[in-house]
Amino acid sequence: MKRPYLLFSAILCAITAFSVPCWASTVQWEVLQCRDRYEPGKTYPIAFHLTVLKSWYIHGTEVPKNEMLFPTRFSFQAPKGLKIQSLTFPAPEKVQFDYSDHPLDLYSGTILVKGDLVVADTVPQGHYVIKGHLAYQACSAESCLPPKKVSLSIPILIVAHGSPASRLNADVFSGRAPAAGVLSGGRAPIELGTGLFLTLLGFFLGGLALNLTPCIYPLIPITVSYFGARSGRFSGQTLFHAVLYMLGLAFTNSMLGLWAALSGRIVGSALQHPLVLVFMAALFVFLGLGSFGLWEFRLPSTMTRAVSKSYGGYFGSLFMGLTLGIVAAPCLGPFVLGLLTYVAQKGNPFLGFLCFFILSLGLGLPLAVLAFCSGAVKRLPLSGDWMLWIRKLMGWVLLGMAAYMVSLLVDWPHSRAVLFSGVLVAAAIHLGWLDKAGAKIRLFAYVKKGLGILLIIGACVYFWSAYPEQKGLSWVQYNEKSLHVAIGNNTPVILDFRADWCGPCLVMEREVFSDPKVVELSRRFVLLCYDLTRTQPGQKKILEKYDVKGVPTVIFLNGEGIELKRLRVESLIDKTDFLKRMRAALQPSGTQGGEEQCRELHDQ
């Protein structure tokens, strides 16, 4: 289970790399020199022109030690005899945010940093390059990008005394407005060309990787069941049905993803609404009963002639994709955080929709291939009673999905285990003994009874596994009283946001939170859990309070109830990484050791 998520993380990193032209341009820089050549033994003014993209800001040169924020700083490595010193930043803005106890120094828009270039009288004539770095962290009102360090390169020409020189940027160094124009030293804005193509390609590959996550698994038997029951005469017609199915999936995922990015809500929350769950359960029951031959879905004759003579018509395939896109929506959760930043930065909803759509095409492509292959099953030469039996088997798969949807509505312990076990036993009895398909074929009768026995065994094992011995972390349901008690006792808190429809959450519960070292160290924390499987009263307020954009999200609070933001978990991590974060959270707030561990984790 872990390897698919490692591949998924690698694809996600690739997408980040493809998106760098968009994110890297959040802060543009330009070196402004006062002349084109310099004489030894003198000091000259020099300036750095920074432009922060609209709706973004960077921190000042000094930040509160206990906030673990990243300041804006310059550093230089100059050849012997050359030095840049006395850098002066303009007065910052003072802004108070919810995550800080004190107003923070911020810069936005255009910033002019002035300093002195010192040339010693011992510097020989010739060409030199002063190298350096600009370190900053770009944030908006909703999110922060990772701290970034960009390289600076300043060419310097040293000439003999009395050599002619041309003045540069006179407006800047005479005190008038800074010179405008394209940034000469930084990165020019990226036009919609190769950069956008690589970004979209990255999203498409990421969508392909999402097929390895658990939330896509339910769509596989549903796709086989629906398209396997179709009759396709021509491969071109079957292919068109598969394409419509993929486009329906992509459209629903794109709309839900764009809604999540623009509203800050969690993808997958659509599955929490009771009306949606009831509709999905009824749809799966309806389709399942059709697989048993209790009904046959046909469009009116006029519509059938207009679209297709095939079972269900083209609209049926499109409708299946549009509907089942809701089931696949939780797969988009890890991508929403990055796309939220991307859409907010670009301020272009159409571009955000396009990125989600390309991502969803990658997600739906393997399912479309599966739909095409399933739609061609009817053309196999050895059809017979066994095909009818397979169709009924897929009908029970659909009823199992309906049971899953109903289990999200029922608020009593082990509801899913009871419902799933009941479906497995009913399927075993029907498919193994009651159904008469293939009764004249002795070997096939043995296969049916064998499958029935296996299903009954599986139901017993699954039901028994729902009552395991208590292992792993002992979470307490989140409430303000427990949080205040922990703060009163000066005890650090781990707050876990999770959901049953979140595949990475289940993996962390099984592989990280059950680790003996994690369990041992957790005794020094108060463990609070907030379950987002079903909508709870006051849920929106809690998500806004802790700025939760997706699940899994694990938040570390110190003994004073202040979040250690650099330790926040917003994706699947392994137990070693989680242990490092736990140890860093136990460090005294603001100490050098704690800050170094936080920065080390962030660099990783």
Side-chain angles (χ1 to χ4, degrees):
M1 177 65 70
K2 195 170 183 180
R3 289 184 180 178
Y5 276 103
L6 293 177
L7 177 59
F8 171 79
S9 301
I11 295 295
L12 184 58
C13 292
I15 289 177
T16 304
F18 289 139
S19 303
V20 162
C22 302
W23 288 8
S25 60
T26 305
V27 177
Q28 306 281 348
W29 59 269
E30 179 184 14
V31 179
L32 303 177
Q33 301 188 49
C34 64
R35 54 194 297 165
D36 62 345
R37 57 196 67 194
Y38 302 91
E39 298 177 10
K42 295 183 180 181
T43 299
Y44 301 90
I46 193 170
F48 300 88
H49 184 208
L50 308 181
T51 302
V52 183
L53 198 67
K54 184 180 179 181
S55 76
W56 293 86
Y57 62 82
I58 58 177
H59 295 112
T61 57
E62 300 292 336
V63 297
K65 291 184 178 180
N66 63 337
E67 299 289 354
M68 291 185 293
L69 302 174
F70 283 78
T72 300
R73 289 178 181 172
F74 284 92
S75 59
F76 300 97
Q77 300 84 41
K80 185 177 181 180
L82 298 176
K83 183 188 299 184
I84 294 179
Q85 62 183 22
S86 304
L87 290 181
T88 303
F89 282 74
E93 305 172 55
K94 293 283 187 179
V95 181
Q96 176 72 52
F97 289 100
D98 293 338
Y99 60 77
S100 175
D101 294 333
H102 310 283
L104 299 178
D105 293 344
L106 303 177
Y107 291 113
S108 60
T110 300
I111 309 158
L112 186 63
V113 182
K114 294 185 177 181
D116 294 326
L117 171 63
V118 180
V119 183
D121 54 5
T122 57
V123 178
Q125 300 179 32
H127 293 272
Y128 299 87
V129 176
I130 299 178
K131 296 186 178 296
H133 294 92
L134 167 63
Y136 64 91
Q137 182 180 23
C139 295
S140 68
E142 296 82 16
S143 60
C144 286
L145 297 179
K148 189 170 184 63
K149 181 183 287 187
V150 296
S151 299
L152 307 175
S153 181
I154 309 171
I156 301 294
L157 175 59
I158 305 299
V159 296
H161 289 281
S163 299
S166 300
R167 296 185 62 188
L168 303 174
N169 302 306
D171 291 343
V172 176
F173 298 105
S174 63
R176 295 191 291 271
V182 178
L183 304 182
S184 60
R187 301 176 188 231
I190 301 296
E191 299 295 333
L192 298 181
T194 305
L196 177 62
F197 172 77
L198 293 177
T199 300
L200 296 180
L201 177 61
F203 284 127
F204 180 79
L205 295 176
L208 289 175
L210 286 174
N211 284 276
L212 301 176
T213 59
C215 53
I216 204 67
Y217 296 163
L219 298 185
I220 296 175
I222 296 174
T223 301
V224 173
S225 173
Y226 180 74
F227 286 91
R230 307 179 62 90
S231 59
R233 296 182 179 179
F234 307 103
S235 59
Q237 187 181 63
T238 307
L239 176 63
F240 191 55
H241 279 284
V243 170
L244 286 176
Y245 179 62
M246 177 178 65
L247 292 177
L249 281 168
F251 182 79
T252 300
N253 275 295
S254 301
M255 295 304 297
L256 289 174
L258 182 62
W259 165 76
L262 295 179
S263 65
R265 299 290 297 275
I266 298 176
V267 170
S269 61
L271 289 176
Q272 301 174 21
H273 198 286
L275 292 179
V276 176
L277 294 173
V278 170
F279 170 76
M280 295 296 295
L283 177 64
F284 289 137
V285 171
F286 182 69
L287 295 174
L289 295 179
S291 297
F292 298 146
L294 298 181
W295 58 268
E296 186 174 1
F297 176 57
R298 291 185 181 276
L299 293 175
S301 57
T302 55
M303 295 182 63
T304 303
R305 288 192 297 268
V307 291
S308 173
K309 293 183 179 180
S310 64
Y311 173 81
Y314 292 125
F315 177 76
S317 300
L318 179 63
F319 178 77
M320 281 295 295
L322 291 170
T323 305
L324 296 179
I326 299 176
V327 180
C331 294
L332 297 179
F335 278 83
V336 170
L337 294 176
L339 284 175
L340 172 64
T341 303
Y342 183 80
V343 174
Q345 176 183 335
K346 287 297 182 182
N348 189 334
F350 174 75
L351 188 58
F353 174 84
L354 180 61
C355 292
F356 275 111
F357 190 77
I358 296 300
L359 171 69
S360 301
L361 287 181
L363 175 67
L365 180 60
L367 292 171
V369 174
L370 183 61
F372 174 76
C373 296
S374 302
V377 168
K378 282 283 187 177
R379 298 196 303 273
L380 293 176
L382 298 179
S383 60
D385 283 353
W386 70 275
M387 287 293 298
L388 298 176
W389 186 83
I390 291 293
R391 179 176 175 178
K392 294 174 183 178
L393 172 62
M394 293 305 174
W396 280 108
V397 173
L398 293 172
L399 293 183
M401 282 301 303
Y404 170 78
M405 295 296 173
V406 172
S407 69
L408 297 177
L409 287 169
V410 182
D411 192 16
W412 44 273
H414 311 298
S415 59
R416 187 173 305 169
V418 173
L419 289 170
F420 276 4
S421 299
V423 170
L424 287 175
V425 171
I429 296 174
H430 175 237
L431 296 174
W433 289 275
L434 298 182
D435 183 67
K436 301 303 181 182
K440 298 179 180 180
I441 306 176
R442 178 176 299 182
L443 179 61
F444 187 61
Y446 289 145
V447 171
K448 290 170 55 180
K449 290 180 173 58
L451 178 64
I453 295 173
L454 289 177
L455 289 177
I456 292 177
I457 294 175
C460 295
V461 172
Y462 184 81
F463 186 79
W464 183 263
S465 66
Y467 299 89
E469 180 183 355
Q470 182 65 32
K471 295 181 180 179
L473 303 187
S474 300
W475 298 101
V476 176
Q477 184 65 27
Y478 173 85
N479 60 79
E480 293 292 336
K481 182 179 179 180
S482 299
L483 181 61
H484 290 317
V485 170
I487 295 174
N489 296 331
N490 197 30
T491 305
V493 176
I494 299 178
L495 176 55
D496 176 38
F497 290 86
R498 64 174 307 279
D500 287 350
W501 40 258
C502 167
C505 301
L506 302 179
V507 175
M508 288 190 65
E509 187 72 30
R510 184 173 63 253
E511 299 183 3
V512 178
F513 298 153
S514 62
D515 181 73
K517 293 182 180 179
V518 173
V519 174
E520 178 67 25
L521 196 58
S522 70
R523 296 171 183 170
R524 302 173 62 180
F525 294 86
V526 171
L527 305 178
L528 301 180
C529 175
Y530 198 96
D531 195 337
L532 298 173
T533 302
R534 290 178 289 271
T535 303
Q536 304 180 35
Q539 175 175 302
K540 182 178 179 181
K541 183 178 179 181
I542 295 297
L543 297 181
E544 291 177 349
K545 176 181 178 180
Y546 293 102
D547 192 27
V548 178
K549 299 294 193 306
V551 284
T553 294
V554 182
I555 296 173
F556 292 85
L557 307 176
N558 63 16
E560 299 175 356
I562 300 174
E563 182 186 352
L564 305 175
K565 289 186 175 294
R566 297 300 165 200
L567 302 182
R568 174 180 284 229
V569 176
E570 293 181 315
S571 61
L572 179 66
I573 63 173
D574 58 25
K575 59 186 178 183
T576 302
D577 192 355
F578 194 78
L579 278 170
K580 290 181 180 179
R581 296 172 192 268
M582 295 177 72
R583 296 188 183 106
L586 293 172
Q587 293 287 336
S589 179
T591 62
Q592 181 178 0
E595 288 187 2
E596 287 179 353
Q597 287 196 42
C598 292
R599 292 176 187 272
E600 177 186 354
L601 285 168
H602 186 78
D603 291 341
Q604 293 176 352

